Amino acid sequence: GNSVTQMEGPVTLSEEAFLTINCTYTATGYPSLFWYVQYPGEGLQLLLKATKADDKGSNKGFEATYRKETTSFHLEKGSVQVSDSAVYFCALSLMEYGNKLVFGAGTILRVKS
Amino acid sequence: DTAVSQTPKYLVTQMGNDKSIKCEQNLGHDTMYWYKQDSKKFLKIMFSYNNKELIINETVPNRFSPKSPDKAHLNLHINSLELGDSAVYFCASSPQGLTKIEQFFGPGTRLTVL
């Protein structure tokens, strides 16, 4: 089946620390990959995406590279801010499954000043 | 505002009642979705409609019935509410096309069943 596994949280960092949130996937086809972010009390916002192998998605200082050989899409940021505190979801979608999003369990990020 | 909107934002009700959640998008998208987020933040697809036609129906109790009067609206009706239905329900929409895969989410409806 299709599934996404991401590292458990919460992840607690100090401001300006380096962030990595690991994400791996299994898929029956060639998926598109996403990172969504959910700030407290809000809906989901697309953070970045990649649609084919070796694509790098980037936004607001966050980056993730689609690695087909390791079936991974790890999220990184060089210097986190308190305002980055949120829940981060890795997800995949497949055209043959109506483009429904299959989400990982989410990783809570807490950034301390 | 250009967005996906949901009403109500909060819904508190008793077990056994019937309730509806409404979703509207003014993005001109063809496809709409309902997702359920449980108390552990886990998100799972429930339904998807494309141009008013049901295309995804996951393993959801038939107490849940989606209705799409037009492609800009996808409502969710829930009969005989149970405690386990308590969750946040998110509506989303996306344009049609092989490369237009991004989904835009509404703010969510927090349903509490007492």
Side-chain angles (χ1 to χ4, degrees), chain A residues 12-27:
Chain A
T12 303
L13 296 173
S14 297
E15 213 165 15
E16 299 184 5
F18 185 86
L19 168 71
T20 300
I21 301 178
N22 290 338
C23 170
T24 57
Y25 68 89
T26 58

Side-chain angles (χ1 to χ4, degrees), chain B residues 37-112:
Chain B
Q37 185 175 44
D38 64 23
S39 58
K40 296 184 179 178
K41 300 283 188 186
F42 190 72
L43 279 150
K44 190 169 166 56
I45 184 79
M46 300 175 70
F47 301 103
S48 173
Y49 271 72
N50 185 51
N51 275 323
K52 302 194 296 176
E53 182 182 341
L54 181 67
I55 56 171
I56 296 174
N57 185 351
E58 293 289 290
T59 310
V60 176
N62 58 14
R63 298 181 295 104
F64 290 79
S65 53
K67 285 189 173 54
S68 182
D70 55 60
K71 74 172 193 177
H73 295 84
L74 180 61
N75 304 324
L76 184 64
H77 188 74
I78 315 170
N79 289 327
S80 304
L81 278 155
E82 300 176 358
L83 293 176
D85 297 333
S86 295
V88 181
Y89 293 85
F90 287 101
C91 178
S93 71
S94 68
Q96 199 167 11
L98 287 176
T99 59
K100 297 176 181 179
I101 52 172
E102 177 180 344
Q103 292 185 26
F104 295 78
F105 282 78
T109 295
R110 182 175 293 277
L111 171 64
T112 303

Side-chain angles (χ1 to χ4, degrees), chain A residues 56-101:
Chain A
K56 178 187 278 189
S58 60
N59 186 24
K60 300 180 182 179
F62 291 89
E63 292 183 341
T65 301
Y66 190 143
R67 300 286 188 205
K68 194 162 183 281
E69 64 277 10
T70 54
T71 62
S72 65
F73 193 54
H74 305 320
L75 183 68
E76 296 182 336
K77 187 176 186 184
S79 175
V80 293
Q81 306 300 313
V82 172
S83 57
D84 293 327
S85 299
V87 184
Y88 291 81
F89 293 92
C90 185
L92 66 81
S93 73
L94 286 157
M95 284 287 295
E96 52 266 47
Y97 292 91
N99 271 334
K100 69 177 183 181
L101 287 166

Side-chain angles (χ1 to χ4, degrees), chain B residues 13-57:
Chain B
T13 188
Q14 300 287 329
M15 267 174 48
N17 284 351
D18 303 338
K19 290 293 177 186
S20 291
I21 305 171
K22 295 187 176 181
C23 178
E24 176 181 4
Q25 55 93 4
N26 62 5
L27 299 164
H29 291 166
D30 297 298
T31 308
M32 296 184 73
Y33 308 81
W34 277 110
Y35 290 86
K36 179 181 180 180
Q37 185 175 44
D38 64 23
S39 58
K40 296 184 179 178
K41 300 283 188 186
F42 190 72
L43 279 150
K44 190 169 166 56
I45 184 79
M46 300 175 70
F47 301 103
S48 173
Y49 271 72
N50 185 51
N51 275 323
K52 302 194 296 176
E53 182 182 341
L54 181 67
I55 56 171
I56 296 174
N57 185 351

